Amino acid sequence: MSDTSTFERRTERGVLYVVGGGALLVGAAAVLFGGTQLIIDAAGGAVPLHLEVDHALPDGIGGGTATLTEGAYDSAAVTANGLSGGVVTLLTVARGFGLLTTAAVAWSVAWLAWKLLRGQPFTASVGNALAMAGGSLLIGGLLSQGLGGFGTWLAIEELLGDVTAAADPFFPLVMGFDPAPLGYGLAMMLIALAFERGRRLQQDTDGLV
Amino acid sequence: MGDAELTGVHCRLDELLAERGMTLTRLSEEVGVSLVNLSVLKNDRAKAIRFSTLVAICEALDCGIGELLVRVER
């Protein structure tokens, strides 16, 4: 075997170990730290929220050689306390779906890296893992954003009262939607289909001389 | 049930090699098919064979396809 191919194989294995190990760490961190924080927040009633705002920057920012010509706040990270049980549950479930989605995708990536390291990428388990990750991104992305957005609306109502009556509420009732997780989910399901096709092709050539 | 009974095809590579006094290693060198693949074929563990492999073996052994592969009852 030439030095180049040995170098390529070692590099490939190194990359797979890093990607697989990193994915495992991300998944474990999501479940352990994210899950623990979720339980602590839910038990204590303190819920972190990212609320949209649209306010100008305060005057007098600066002092350096460059100047700000325009700017505005577009979001605020707040922690709300005293929200009703239903809203806390809704927001907790939404965050939970987000964590589960992260864990599912991380586990799938780690499993794929492991199977590639063992030279068996075209197996049913890899196709299933990728399909599960794609499905998780689709369903988890929808549920997490949908429930989270609705829960945030309810939280704003409980924080500010009837914001619809106010002319310019500090936290307006808007719901952002990020289509990226759905796109990634669909892409992952396509990759799962490609792996399934590869598995069938490998099955066809099994025992071929 | 043996492997040949499973596929319904028996490969007579062993017998043809013996008749010609040729080794599997020599055949492997002549036809450019790995020793592992030829062993698979010889022991009736192959499930399929490429036309190119089939023709190369038949040329090297100077035999017909029907002499190399025969049907067996399943």
Side-chain angles (χ1 to χ4, degrees):
Chain A
M1 192 183 290
S2 72
D3 287 347
T4 313
S5 63
T6 307
F7 175 74
E8 279 172 4
R9 276 173 63 87
R10 282 186 181 163
T11 309
E12 190 181 289
R13 288 183 72 80
V15 168
L16 287 171
Y17 271 118
V18 169
V19 170
L24 266 185
L25 282 176
V26 167
V31 171
L32 289 176
F33 300 122
T36 307
Q37 190 62 49
L38 195 69
I39 292 166
I40 290 170
D41 289 345
V47 182
L49 294 167
H50 271 89
L51 304 176
E52 296 216 11
V53 292
D54 185 16
H55 290 280
L57 294 174
D59 295 330
I61 297 177
T65 53
T67 53
L68 285 169
T69 53
E70 59 179 348
Y73 294 109
D74 60 6
S75 70
V78 301
T79 302
N81 218 328
L83 294 172
S84 65
V87 175
V88 172
T89 305
L90 203 58
L91 291 168
T92 304
V93 169
R95 281 172 67 197
F97 272 119
L99 289 176
L100 285 177
T101 303
T102 305
V105 173
W107 180 83
S108 301
V109 171
W111 185 245
L112 175 59
W114 173 245
K115 293 300 258 183
L116 279 167
L117 274 168
R118 299 197 57 192
Q120 306 165 333
F122 297 112
T123 58
S125 68
V126 171
N128 291 341
L130 288 171
M132 185 201 70
S136 300
L137 275 166
L138 276 173
I139 298 167
L142 272 175
L143 285 176
S144 179
Q145 290 192 66
L147 293 177
F150 184 56
T152 303
W153 274 10
L154 296 176
I156 292 172
E157 287 274 346
E158 291 188 9
L159 286 168
L160 304 184
D162 186 7
V163 288
T164 52
D168 183 21
F170 192 81
F171 298 122
L173 284 182
V174 289
M175 189 188 282
F177 178 74
D178 182 10
L182 307 186
Y184 294 143
L186 286 172
M188 211 151 218
M189 290 187 116
L190 280 179
I191 295 169
L193 275 178
F195 268 81
E196 176 57 24
R197 187 66 64 86
R199 189 182 70 81
R200 280 190 222 150
L201 278 172
Q202 199 173 51
Q203 213 169 31
D204 285 346
T205 55
D206 189 32
L208 174 69
V209 293
Chain B
M1 186 184 281
D3 290 318
E5 282 80 20
L6 278 173
T7 57
V9 176
H10 167 59
C11 181
R12 295 182 60 248
L13 191 56
D14 221 7
E15 292 137 82
L16 293 173
L17 282 171
E19 284 169 15
R20 285 152 182 78
M22 192 187 276
T23 63
L24 204 63
T25 310
R26 177 84 192 108
L27 182 66
S28 169
E29 287 164 2
E30 274 197 31
V31 299
V33 174
S34 73
L35 204 56
V36 175
N37 272 352
L38 285 180
S39 291
V40 167
L41 197 59
K42 184 171 77 84
N43 297 318
D44 284 332
R45 282 188 281 110
K47 291 178 188 163
I49 182 168
R50 288 189 182 87
F51 285 164
S52 57
T53 308
L54 190 58
V55 170
I57 292 172
C58 286
E59 278 176 357
L61 295 176
D62 191 24
C63 67
I65 291 169
E67 289 175 82
L68 181 66
L69 302 175
V70 290
R71 277 194 59 194
V72 291
E73 287 302 315
R74 285 202 276 191

